[in-house]
Amino acid sequence: MRLDNKKGDDYDPKVVSLGPYHHGKPELNFVEDFKPKALEMFIHGSNKSQDFFLEEIVREIEDFRSCYLEEFVNKYNDYEFARMMLIDSCFILNDIEISTRSTPNSASKQTNTIKHLGIAVYLITRRDLYLLENQVPFQVLKLLVKLRYGDGFYQFEEKVKSYCSQMFFDKQEDIKMKNTIIETEPLHLLEVFRRVLVSDIDDEANVRQPHSSYELCPNGPIDRAVVSYINFMKSLVISPNDVKELREEKIIFNTLGSDEEVVQVYKGLKTYGADDPLLFKNVKRNIQEHYNSKGKTWIAELIDTYFNSPWSLTALVVTVFLTFLTVVQTYYGSPFYHS
C-alpha cells in the first residue's frame, strides 16, 4: 500500500480510520471508541485473550510494517502498531461476519454494532472500507480468522469475495476467478473487491460501472482490466445525452443526481494512457458493426422520428392512411379501372 501525494475529499475516510495513514484524526474518534467493542465481539466465545492475538501479530510485525510508508509506521512501537492492526482488523472482520452471516452470532453482532454506531454511521463506514489509503494487510485479517476459528471453520477468502459482491452488486454468490488472477494473495480488502469487479467485467463488460482504479499503483496487479473498462466507458460517455441513453438501456445506473455529474465523474478519472486494447476488442467491433449497418440506422431514425411521442405516432398513422386513400382513389378513378 502506498500513499499518493494527491489529496482530496474522495481519498479521505469520513468516519473510520483503518491503518496508520489516518490514525488519530479527531473527526474519526467516534468510531475509534467502538473498535474495542468489535475486538471483544470477535474474541467472545473463544478461550483466547487479546494478548494472545497481539503476540501473534508481533511475530510478523516487520512484514506488516513493510506494507506502509516508513514515515507513518515509525511513529509507533511494535506493540502500538500491533494493537492498531488488531482492533482495525476486528472492525473489518465484524462487518464481514455480519454481512455474510458466517458465524452463529452474526445477528447479535449486527444489533450491537448498529446500537453503538447508529445506522447512518454504520453505512458510511462501508464507504471508508474501500479507500486505498485506509487498508490493513489482508494477511492480518487471514491470520486472525485462522487463530480465532481454525483452518476449517469457513473459507475466509471465499467469504470475503462474497462480501464484496454483496456490498457493491447487492448479491452473494460464488465468485469464480480466473487462474491468472488468484495465483497471488490479495494485498488488502480493496484488492479483493477489484478481483470481484474484474471477474464481473470479464463476463458483463458493458453492464457495471466501476470506481476509479488502483491498478496503477507500483505494487498493483499487472493486468489492466479496470482502467481498460474506464477508457472504454469514457469513449461512450461524452455528453449528458450519452448518459441518458446508456441509463435508459440499463447499461449504467446513475445515483449521482444528474446525467451531467456522470459525465464529470468520467472526465475526472485519469488512466494515464494505461489500457489493454484487446480486452474490449469484440465489444468495440460489435458496436462499430452496428453503427455501420445502414438498415439498423434507418430503423433507428424511423423509431426516433415517429415513435418518440403519441402525437408523432398519430401523425404517421394518419399520413399512411391518407396515402392509402389517395392511392385507392387514384386507382378507381383511372382508365384502367373502367376498361
Side-chain angles (χ1 to χ4, degrees):
M1 288 172 271
R2 292 294 181 261
L3 191 69
D4 198 323
N5 289 327
K6 182 179 179 181
K7 298 298 293 178
D9 188 59
D10 290 338
Y11 296 88
D12 295 334
K14 302 292 186 184
V15 293
V16 62
S17 166
L18 301 169
Y21 291 149
H22 300 281
H23 184 75
K25 289 186 175 180
E27 63 269 26
L28 306 178
N29 280 342
F30 179 74
V31 176
E32 201 70 26
D33 294 339
F34 169 74
K35 288 180 181 179
K37 180 65 177 178
L39 172 58
E40 291 176 12
M41 290 191 293
F42 180 74
I43 294 176
H44 180 73
S46 73
N47 58 356
K48 302 177 178 69
S49 65
Q50 294 184 22
D51 289 339
F52 168 78
F53 291 98
L54 281 172
E55 290 170 4
E56 293 297 322
I57 292 176
V58 170
R59 291 177 188 272
E60 303 181 41
I61 200 68
E62 291 305 317
D63 287 341
F64 300 149
R65 280 180 173 272
S66 68
C67 295
Y68 304 95
L69 293 173
E70 291 184 7
E71 62 188 279
F72 288 90
V73 297
N74 287 343
K75 304 175 186 177
Y76 311 99
N77 61 36
D78 285 352
Y79 174 83
E80 292 170 335
F81 189 78
R83 178 163 177 79
M84 181 197 302
M85 292 291 98
L86 176 60
I87 64 173
D88 287 358
S89 296
C90 285
F91 181 87
I92 297 171
L93 293 171
N94 180 60
D95 196 53
I96 293 174
E97 291 183 11
I98 288 173
S99 298
T100 60
R101 292 292 191 263
S102 52
T103 57
N105 55 347
S106 299
S108 63
K109 286 186 178 183
Q110 182 176 29
T111 301
N112 290 332
T113 300
I114 295 178
K115 178 182 178 181
H116 282 80
L117 296 180
I119 188 64
V121 173
Y122 174 62
L123 293 176
I124 296 173
T125 62
R126 294 186 157 192
R127 173 261 186 195
D128 290 351
L129 287 173
Y130 291 90
L131 296 176
L132 177 61
E133 300 172 3
N134 211 37
Q135 300 292 318
V136 299
F138 191 79
Q139 275 289 350
V140 181
L141 302 177
K142 192 173 180 180
L143 173 65
L144 291 177
V145 169
K146 180 179 179 180
L147 294 172
R148 171 62 178 84
Y149 298 111
D151 289 322
F153 186 75
Y154 65 85
Q155 294 181 317
F156 177 62
E157 293 182 49
E158 296 305 314
K159 285 295 181 184
V160 176
K161 294 171 189 174
S162 178
Y163 168 72
C164 292
S165 179
Q166 181 192 24
M167 181 76 69
F168 287 92
F169 306 138
D170 196 28
K171 64 178 182 179
Q172 283 196 31
E173 59 181 17
D174 294 331
I175 307 298
K176 301 185 184 303
M177 302 294 186
K178 291 185 175 181
N179 292 333
T180 55
I181 295 178
I182 62 174
E183 286 177 351
T184 59
E185 183 150 284
L187 299 174
H188 38 63
L189 186 64
L190 178 63
E191 172 60 15
V192 179
F193 163 61
R194 180 194 170 277
R195 294 181 182 189
V196 171
L197 177 65
V198 168
S199 176
D200 202 66
I201 286 175
D202 288 336
D203 294 333
E204 304 177 55
N206 63 336
V207 174
R208 292 197 172 96
Q209 172 182 339
H211 297 276
S212 54
S213 171
Y214 302 97
E215 282 180 348
L216 303 182
C217 294
N219 57 350
I222 60 174
D223 62 291
R224 292 163 289 177
V226 176
V227 290
S228 298
Y229 181 85
I230 292 175
N231 285 332
F232 171 68
M233 290 301 297
K234 282 167 72 76
S235 70
L236 299 180
V237 177
I238 307 299
S239 70
N241 287 334
D242 298 327
V243 178
K244 180 175 181 292
E245 185 171 350
L246 293 171
R247 179 167 47 78
E248 289 175 347
E249 296 297 329
K250 294 183 171 55
I251 294 173
I252 62 174
F253 299 92
N254 179 16
T255 60
L256 297 176
S258 73
D259 293 337
E260 175 61 32
E261 289 183 77
V262 177
V263 175
Q264 295 307 317
V265 166
Y266 275 108
K267 285 183 178 180
L269 294 175
K270 306 299 183 184
T271 57
Y272 306 99
D275 199 357
D276 184 347
L278 299 179
L279 191 58
F280 292 93
K281 180 180 178 180
N282 292 337
V283 178
K284 293 175 181 177
R285 186 184 67 244
N286 291 339
I287 292 175
Q288 190 62 46
E289 289 177 354
H290 179 81
Y291 176 80
N292 292 337
S293 173
K294 300 301 182 182
K296 292 179 181 178
T297 301
W298 181 81
I299 293 173
E301 291 176 350
L302 179 67
I303 293 174
D304 184 65
T305 302
Y306 294 106
F307 293 91
N308 260 349
S309 71
W311 295 113
S312 299
L313 179 59
T314 302
L316 176 63
V317 172
V318 170
T319 301
V320 171
F321 181 69
L322 290 176
T323 302
F324 173 74
L325 290 180
T326 301
V327 171
V328 171
Q329 184 179 12
T330 302
Y331 173 74
Y332 283 107
S334 68
F336 299 103
Y337 176 75
H338 297 285
S339 60

